[in-house]
């Protein structure tokens, strides 16, 4: 009798185990088929009603497979035609500022399923040699995308280069322009730190920040130093306003993007007329790195390069005070023009 009960129990366990394995295999196959089908679905279909907690998935084939092959030049014309993919001129450009967080902003916006980013800085409008190659050369530098997606590129040198506003205006007078800014003195020190690191890698010496930022002859702020000039945001913006109305600009708070990125990204979504898709799920704080990383889906995560978040050298407090006093009136004018106020000293 005991042997019969044991045999019956083993038989039940075998049946249950078989059902469990079969269910698991079905789910794996089902998920795989969904990932294969997702890129072929119109993006508008993915913009339907969605709960706040739902994960905005991107099929791996879309993110890392098919389009990756296109970027490498391995796709055939027939594949491109079948998937209805095109290389579009950007409908929005992150024009600056250098060391304001342009790379972080671009990568975070790329979380949105309607956004496709140019991975490299193109430097089309600020480089005379590149600009002479023509607009078709520029378009072919853009990533493949669906027609209803927005292509975005970033080249922070655009903001401070005199010829750029007119050149972009000639390409598209209604383009949307994104400017990400940080507290001007912090941004200038970050700018210096990047250059300093480059010098150190080549075993070269470099001046201290204080010697570059302050004119030794007058003991005043050295406005000829590029890191200082770049932080006078209002001077550069006024040149852009000769061609574009202020409504075509959106100012992103780069300091806030570091510590609380989601609200800033939601403002950009609204500015670009995109349905809200980026959620807290897509952003997680990496304690080791000290800033937020990106989660595209349950499999694919991404952190910014290790060069981001460099430790700044110590700067004489009197120099910091002098710089903040110098930038203050320019900051006030920047607030007035843009309609956005920052808590800068």
């Amino acid at each position: 009798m005991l042997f019969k009960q044991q045999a019956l129990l083993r038989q039940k366990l075998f049946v249950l185990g078989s059902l469990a394995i079969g269910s698991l295999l079905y789910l794996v196959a089902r998920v795989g088929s969904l990932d294969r089908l997702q890129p072929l679905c119109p993006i508008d279909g993915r913009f339907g009603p969605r709960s706040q907690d739902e994960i905005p998935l991107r099929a791996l084939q879309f993110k890392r497979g098919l389009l990756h092959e296109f970027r490498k030049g391995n796709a055939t014309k027939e594949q491109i035609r079948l998937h209805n993919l095109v290389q579009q001129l950007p409908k929005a450009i992150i024009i600056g500022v250098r060391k304001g967080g342009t790379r972080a902003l671009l990568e975070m916006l790329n979380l949105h399923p309607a956004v496709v980013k140019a991975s490299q800085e193109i430097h089309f409008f600020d480089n005379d040699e590149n600009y002479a190659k023509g607009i078709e050369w520029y378009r072919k530098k853009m990533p493949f995308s669906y027609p209803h997606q927005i292509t975005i590129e970033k080249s922070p040198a655009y903001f401070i280069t005199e010829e750029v506003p007119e050149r972009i205006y000639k390409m598209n007078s209604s383009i949307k322009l994104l400017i990400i800014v940080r507290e001007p003195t912090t941004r200038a020190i970050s700018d210096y730190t990047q250059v300093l690191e480059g010098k150190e890698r080549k075993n070269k010496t470099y001046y201290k920040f204080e010697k570059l930022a302050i004119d030794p002859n007058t003991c005043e702020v050295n406005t000829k130093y590029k890191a200082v000039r770049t932080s006078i945001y209002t001077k550069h913006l006024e040149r852009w306003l000769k061609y574009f109305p202020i409504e075509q600009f959106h100012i992103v708070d780069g300091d806030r993007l570091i510590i609380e990125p989601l609200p800033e990204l939601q403002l950009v979504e609204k500015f670009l007329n995109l349905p809200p898709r980026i959620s807290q799920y897509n952003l997680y704080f990496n304690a080791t790195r000290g800033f937020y990383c990106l989660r595209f889906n349950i499999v694919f995560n991404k952190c910014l390069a290790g060069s981001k978040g460099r430790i700044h050298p110590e700067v004489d407090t009197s120099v910091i005070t002098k710089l903040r006093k110098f930038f203050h009136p320019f900051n006030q004018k920047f607030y007035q023009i843009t309609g956005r106020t920052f808590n800068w000293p």
Side-chain angles (χ1 to χ4, degrees):
M1 184 69 177
L2 179 62
F3 289 118
K4 285 184 179 181
Q5 289 177 340
Q6 289 177 339
L8 183 60
L9 180 61
R10 283 197 297 271
Q11 186 178 7
K12 287 182 178 180
L13 288 173
F14 175 78
V15 171
L16 289 172
S18 299
L19 286 172
I21 292 172
S23 299
L24 181 62
L25 290 173
Y26 171 78
L27 287 172
V28 170
R30 180 63 177 161
V31 170
S33 66
L34 287 175
D35 271 352
R36 287 193 298 272
L37 289 173
Q38 178 117 359
L40 304 179
C41 297
I43 200 164
D44 291 333
R46 290 187 279 153
F47 283 175
R50 177 193 295 264
S51 71
Q52 193 66 24
D53 296 327
E54 187 177 347
I55 299 170
L57 293 177
R58 278 187 168 189
L60 290 182
Q61 183 183 13
F62 174 79
K63 273 302 298 177
R64 304 174 69 187
L66 186 62
L67 293 188
H68 180 64
E69 291 301 308
F70 290 167
R71 285 195 293 271
K72 292 194 302 182
N74 295 342
T76 65
K77 290 183 179 180
E78 181 64 14
Q79 285 176 310
I80 294 171
R81 186 188 66 80
L82 285 174
H83 289 276
N84 195 30
L85 292 167
V86 292
Q87 288 173 291
Q88 304 182 84
L89 291 172
K91 295 176 184 176
I93 301 178
I94 301 171
I95 60 174
V97 299
R98 172 181 161 90
K99 307 313 300 172
T102 57
R103 173 56 61 182
L105 177 60
L106 182 70
E107 296 293 344
M108 288 177 178
L109 288 178
N110 193 49
L111 289 164
H112 199 291
V115 171
V116 179
K117 68 178 176 69
S119 297
Q120 303 299 321
E121 293 180 9
I122 310 299
H123 288 287
F124 177 64
F125 297 103
D126 66 306
N127 183 299
D128 291 342
E129 185 178 341
N130 287 343
Y131 190 68
K133 294 175 183 176
I135 202 73
E136 189 62 16
W137 177 89
Y138 179 56
R139 186 181 66 80
K140 288 183 178 179
K141 291 291 182 181
M142 296 299 134
F144 284 93
S145 63
Y146 293 107
H148 33 258
Q149 289 178 307
I150 292 178
T151 296
I152 296 180
E153 76 125 323
K154 75 102 174 174
S155 294
Y158 289 168
F159 185 58
I160 63 171
T161 305
E162 189 172 343
E163 300 83 5
V164 171
E166 182 178 7
R167 289 175 174 179
I168 292 182
Y169 180 83
K170 287 179 178 178
M171 178 191 73
N172 181 359
S173 61
S174 62
I175 197 165
K176 301 206 171 206
L177 302 165
L178 294 160
I179 305 171
I180 180 167
V181 294
R182 296 185 68 192
E183 191 275 313
T185 301
T186 303
R187 194 222 64 82
I189 296 172
S190 181
D191 198 326
Y192 166 83
T193 304
Q194 178 170 301
V195 176
L196 175 66
E197 185 181 275
K199 297 286 186 182
E200 290 176 341
R201 279 200 305 266
K202 299 175 182 178
N203 294 318
K204 293 183 177 181
T205 57
Y206 196 48
Y207 295 109
K208 291 187 70 175
F209 176 79
E210 292 88 339
K211 191 168 184 177
L212 294 168
I214 304 299
D215 188 327
N217 297 318
T218 64
C219 292
E220 297 300 327
V221 173
N222 179 16
T223 55
K224 293 181 180 179
Y225 179 38
K226 187 176 180 180
V228 169
R229 291 202 317 272
T230 300
S231 285
I232 308 175
Y233 304 139
T234 185
K235 290 290 186 183
H236 305 295
L237 181 59
E238 285 172 344
R239 186 172 57 251
W240 283 85
L241 291 173
K242 294 176 183 177
Y243 295 90
F244 300 96
I246 194 63
E247 292 76 21
Q248 283 178 231
F249 296 86
H250 178 72
I251 311 300
V252 179
D253 186 340
D255 295 309
R256 190 185 184 199
L257 191 75
I258 296 170
I259 60 174
E260 195 181 8
L262 185 57
E264 287 299 313
L265 295 173
Q266 290 172 334
L267 290 173
V268 177
E269 284 180 322
K270 187 175 181 180
F271 172 70
L272 296 177
N273 296 320
L274 293 171
R277 288 294 176 269
I278 302 173
S279 71
Q280 197 61 57
Y281 170 84
N282 300 117
L283 304 158
Y284 66 95
F285 187 76
N286 186 314
T288 304
R289 301 293 297 276
F291 48 79
Y292 280 85
C293 293
L294 316 178
R295 182 186 288 116
F296 288 88
N297 53 40
I298 199 169
V299 177
F300 183 39
N301 298 343
K302 180 177 183 178
C303 286
L304 298 178
S307 61
K308 303 301 178 184
R310 296 179 180 90
I311 297 174
H312 293 178
E314 287 190 18
V315 176
D316 189 291
T317 55
S318 66
V319 171
I320 292 176
T321 300
K322 188 181 286 286
L323 283 167
R324 287 177 172 172
K325 185 177 179 181
F326 169 80
F327 287 126
H328 182 75
F330 297 111
N331 295 342
Q332 295 301 310
K333 192 170 184 180
F334 186 70
Y335 302 161
Q336 184 181 5
I337 293 172
T338 62
R340 183 156 194 187
T341 303
F342 300 94
N343 295 320
W344 297 337

